[in-house]
Amino acid sequence: MRRNLALAHALTNQLPYLTGRNVTGILISGTALASGFDVPAGWDWVILPGVDKSPAGYQPRSLTVPMQDLVSLRAGLLESVLGGFLPNLVVVDRHATGIHHELEAALRRVRSAGPVRTVLGLREILDAPAAAIAEWEREGGAPLVNDLFDAIWVYGDPAVHDPLAAGEIPLSVGKLVRYTGYLAAGRPAGPGHITMPVPYFLTTVGGGADGHALAAVAVAADLPPGMGHLVVAGPQMPADQLSDLRRRAVPGVRIVERLDDMVPHLAGARAIVSMGGYNTVCEIMSTNVPALIVPRTRARSEQRIRAASLASAGYLDYHEIGTLTPEILSGWLAGRLGTRVDRRKARLDGLVRVPQLAAELLQPALQAAASPATGARAAGAHDRSEREGAAHAAV
């Protein structure tokens, strides 16, 4: 959600200068938290009935219906949204055809109806190669991706980690791959900022659903004299775990569930302790603050690979949660306070590069939409674009 919201802001800010068209768009999400985040002017949310991932696979988050019925419902909503909105550009995040192929029919219909460009957007790290390739095969494999997509945008720096060379992306779709750089510099500002009365270091555990172990170590770490500690527990941390953190916290610790604007809080910290999720790491990379990444170790190898790759490049430090103690964390903090990290050699300008890649893809589609020879669907898109002066994007 945060990654695609950043993309929406970047497209809105830059595509008008690159294509001569303003942008209007729809962000499609499966989490009710999404609607609490501001969208750019001309954008709106569509919230699908949610799913959760369990050891047995995906299951309905709230609705008491069989999973196959929920997939059918989501598929119908996706087809209705794309068919009714008539986008010029569709960016699909991570899963080429959604959950259990729920997006495939919608993509095929919108592609057959007229000029549209479809992009698969991928984190720079998917998983261990064997697990990643197995997931590609479950989703239909390289032939389906080659059939449904015009490009694959990899949101990372191949000098740090190249998922194509590592075997996480099939070589047979390599011709579609474009590396954007990390979606780091230029993330949109949020509405508010927490004022800390003293210099502080910051701990963040992403959404918080599996962040209690790291947060529990962090809140018990001794603080240097005059140093505060801001802990962002995440909106998905269970209430009993949040209460446990408050009981464990040493003096000087302030615990909040979420921040509306993470970047200035990260930039203002003297040091950062974090899990290894893509968005938080991108935000850390946009600063020069020393950071210790403690990756998630369950479900996927993604965070561990990311932490090890960035540590090898010299951009941050890395420690496993199984051996981390409050004493080790206190020692790391004492050694890093007052230092700065130069991350300028990394490609951090993905939010500039993505609109450029989008403009390259859109030019033929917008020209075709303006041609009377492209059929009824294209004429409808042309008429609406002329009235609103906007290119349509669905993310």
Side-chain angles (χ1 to χ4, degrees):
M1 181 189 69
R2 290 167 60 201
R3 177 164 58 246
N4 291 301
L5 186 59
L7 289 177
H9 280 277
L11 293 171
T12 297
N13 291 338
Q14 298 172 55
L15 266 185
Y17 301 101
L18 297 169
T19 66
R21 299 286 187 94
N22 291 325
V23 178
T24 189
I26 291 176
L27 282 155
I28 303 172
S29 177
T31 172
L33 293 172
S35 59
F37 288 79
D38 291 335
V39 294
W43 289 72
D44 210 339
W45 292 104
V46 168
I47 308 299
L48 301 177
V51 298
D52 280 329
K53 194 169 186 179
S54 69
Y58 287 107
Q59 60 187 12
R61 178 178 298 140
S62 301
L63 297 181
T64 54
V65 299
M67 186 60 193
Q68 63 186 28
D69 291 352
L70 184 66
V71 170
S72 295
L73 174 60
R74 286 167 58 106
L77 291 169
L78 288 165
E79 197 163 351
S80 178
V81 170
L82 293 188
F85 188 58
L86 301 173
N88 303 106
L89 174 69
V90 179
V91 182
V92 179
D93 190 85
R94 181 68 179 87
H95 298 284
T97 57
I99 295 169
H100 300 322
H101 292 261
E102 63 187 356
L103 185 56
E104 183 174 353
L107 286 179
R108 291 192 183 280
R109 176 166 292 188
V110 77
R111 283 175 66 86
S112 67
V116 61
R117 294 293 180 263
T118 51
V119 175
L120 177 60
L122 298 178
R123 299 184 309 251
E124 89 291 18
I125 295 163
L126 303 180
D127 204 339
I133 294 300
E135 187 168 354
W136 281 92
E137 293 305 316
R138 287 195 299 272
E139 294 186 1
L144 183 143
V145 172
N146 279 314
D147 189 33
L148 289 180
F149 292 92
D150 300 295
I152 297 172
W153 294 343
V154 176
Y155 305 133
D157 181 349
V160 177
H161 181 84
D162 185 344
L164 188 62
E168 299 167 38
I169 298 175
L171 290 175
S172 52
V173 300
K175 66 182 183 298
L176 299 179
V177 171
R178 303 291 183 271
Y179 297 95
T180 69
Y182 292 100
L183 307 180
R187 290 221 167 195
H193 186 79
I194 290 177
T195 301
M196 293 291 287
V198 294
Y200 67 95
F201 85 96
L202 185 146
T203 296
T204 176
V205 293
D210 59 354
H212 178 262
L214 173 57
V217 171
V219 299
D222 290 333
L223 302 175
M227 179 66 60
H229 185 187
L230 178 61
V231 178
V232 186
Q236 296 172 325
M237 182 172 286
D240 60 329
Q241 294 182 2
L242 190 61
S243 297
D244 178 67
L245 294 184
R246 299 189 193 283
R247 288 193 299 269
R248 292 173 181 261
V250 301
V253 174
R254 180 176 181 180
I255 300 172
V256 299
E257 293 185 46
R258 59 176 280 182
L259 293 172
D260 291 327
D261 197 352
M262 181 68 79
V263 174
H265 294 88
L266 292 168
R270 300 297 177 89
I272 299 164
V273 175
S274 173
M275 294 179 71
Y278 179 84
N279 292 295
T280 302
V281 167
C282 279
E283 290 164 341
I284 290 170
M285 290 287 287
S286 72
T287 77
N288 62 1
V289 180
L292 177 67
I293 302 300
V294 184
R296 174 188 295 123
T297 56
R298 295 184 300 165
R300 294 184 182 276
S301 300
E302 168 214 344
Q303 291 198 7
R304 180 184 281 122
I305 296 169
R306 178 175 296 116
S309 299
L310 288 166
S312 179
Y315 295 131
L316 46 77
D317 297 319
Y318 158 44
H319 200 104
E320 293 281 355
I321 185 64
T323 57
L324 185 66
T325 65
E327 292 74 24
I328 289 174
L329 183 54
S330 296
W332 175 85
L333 182 64
R336 289 302 187 193
L337 286 175
T339 67
R340 286 291 180 259
V341 181
D342 187 351
R343 301 181 173 111
R344 290 173 295 178
K345 289 185 179 180
R347 291 175 57 180
L348 306 176
D349 61 345
L351 292 173
V352 173
R353 182 62 178 147
V354 161
Q356 295 171 348
L357 292 171
E360 293 172 9
L361 284 174
L362 280 170
Q363 288 294 358
L366 292 176
Q367 291 168 4
S371 170
T374 55
R377 182 266 175 202
H382 168 63
D383 290 343
R384 181 164 55 188
S385 290
E386 287 299 306
R387 288 196 306 270
E388 300 177 359
H392 294 216
V395 180

